[in-house]
Amino acid sequence: MIRALLLLVGAAYAAQDCPCEPCVEGVGMRDNASWGFYRLSDVYAHTLSSYNACFWPRSLACDYSKKRTHLSDMDAFLAAVRRRLARTPETPPSQNEVVWHLRLGDTVDCDDAFEKPCARNAKYVLQRPFFEAVAARLKPRSVITLIYATQHAGCKDAHRAPPARSLAYVSAAIQLLRSRGFEVRERADGEPDADMTYMCRARTLVLAGGGYTRLAGECARAFDAARPATVLGLAAPATDLVELPRAYRNSRRDALDADKARRAAKTNV
């Protein structure tokens, strides 16, 4: 009973501080027990709403949404990141550390996702050839920190259990990287804001697919203007584009085209 009252009071206070809208119509929140409804990159780039960020009144999304002057306002976002770091000092990545983001959770919806693109969400999850191509460009024996969230999910499915497929993907990635002589560390299922501020201060950052990883890349490039980070990925905001083998590039393109067609057909129904 006490917990329920505290949640109601907290929600009421938060709503005054940062107005809310659900990220899916008719799907509201009761409390902030799950980060599944938190949409940092959507608030940054795609909507003038703060979505459900009012349940985290001190979050980056809430802070940024009150200060921005337009969508994708990097100056406002950097200011929010620095305010968070001033409130909650966090140890940054080391100078020689490679920070590598994996987009997992709801996007890993097929078996063996490390070896072949899934039929859905192919743009988010990258396969073995990408890891091999990036590994070939890194300094030998580098320390790599993998950042990922196995519990990330769409707004309609925010409370599902960590999927075994994501864990299998991580295991395969670690095995490959260690076989190349890298020291691999994991930063798993943390708070999205803490992971974002960590990636913003990376000197070398490897991107996955999707808006959150793209925002991290933009932030890493802008955080220290005098010494922009090296960002590896398949497209902007990467500073170093990763060249994929032709066969994998074609299979990935086919998967992306099929996924786009499926989404279009669903929209037209």
Side-chain angles (χ1 to χ4, degrees):
M1 179 66 179
I2 293 176
R3 171 175 166 75
L5 288 173
L6 288 174
L7 290 171
L8 288 173
V9 171
Y13 168 80
Q16 296 173 1
D17 188 63
C18 184
C20 260
E21 294 177 21
C23 52
V24 171
E25 185 176 355
V27 181
M29 283 187 66
R30 298 181 302 276
D31 58 51
N32 61 2
S34 168
W35 285 100
F37 281 111
Y38 182 65
R39 325 308 293 183
L40 178 57
S41 64
D42 289 334
V43 171
Y44 173 73
H46 299 304
T47 177
L48 291 175
S49 167
S50 63
Y51 281 159
N52 293 295
C54 64
F55 282 85
W56 295 274
R58 294 170 70 84
S59 67
L60 286 176
C62 192
D63 187 0
Y64 164 79
S65 69
K66 293 184 293 183
K67 301 293 185 181
R68 65 188 166 191
T69 60
H70 52 82
L71 292 177
S72 302
D73 187 341
M74 180 49 65
D75 289 340
F77 187 76
L78 285 173
V81 167
R82 292 193 167 98
R83 283 191 291 272
R84 173 187 165 86
L85 290 171
R87 293 193 309 267
T88 312
E90 301 165 356
T91 302
S94 67
Q95 289 296 308
N96 297 320
E97 179 179 347
V98 177
V99 180
W100 194 319
H101 180 233
L102 309 178
R103 173 63 168 91
L104 305 178
D106 59 330
T107 58
V108 186
D109 58 359
C110 68
D111 294 326
D112 216 13
F114 189 73
E115 300 298 339
K116 61 178 190 283
C118 299
R120 298 169 180 243
N121 302 312
K123 71 177 182 178
Y124 296 104
V125 184
L126 302 172
Q127 283 68 47
R128 178 183 292 274
F130 176 79
F131 282 76
E132 292 175 336
V134 172
R137 300 176 66 165
L138 300 178
K139 294 180 180 179
R141 296 182 294 280
S142 293
V143 174
I144 297 174
T145 298
L146 299 179
I147 293 186
Y148 60 89
T150 62
Q151 300 184 49
H152 187 83
C155 287
K156 293 182 179 180
D157 194 19
H159 300 280
R160 75 179 187 181
R165 287 167 170 166
S166 287
L167 298 176
Y169 181 98
V170 171
S171 177
I174 291 174
Q175 183 178 6
L176 182 148
L177 293 172
R178 286 179 175 162
S179 73
R180 300 295 192 274
F182 299 109
E183 178 184 341
V184 182
R185 302 171 182 173
E186 296 174 74
R187 187 180 167 108
D189 292 318
E191 294 184 6
D193 286 357
D195 286 345
M196 179 58 68
T197 57
Y198 194 80
M199 290 190 285
C200 284
R201 294 179 294 161
R203 303 307 310 144
T204 302
L205 177 64
V206 182
L207 305 181
Y212 181 80
T213 201
R214 184 167 56 250
L215 174 56
E218 292 177 8
C219 187
R221 291 184 60 175
F223 189 84
D224 185 348
R227 296 186 309 137
T230 297
V231 180
L232 293 93
L234 296 179
T239 60
D240 291 42
L241 296 179
V242 178
E243 183 68 24
L244 299 175
R246 178 178 295 180
Y248 172 57
R249 191 166 64 241
N250 291 340
S251 68
R252 178 172 164 76
R253 183 198 59 213
D254 292 344
L256 289 170
D257 289 345
D259 194 22
K260 187 182 297 184
R262 179 187 62 81
R263 292 175 185 273
K266 185 177 180 180
T267 301
N268 294 330
V269 170

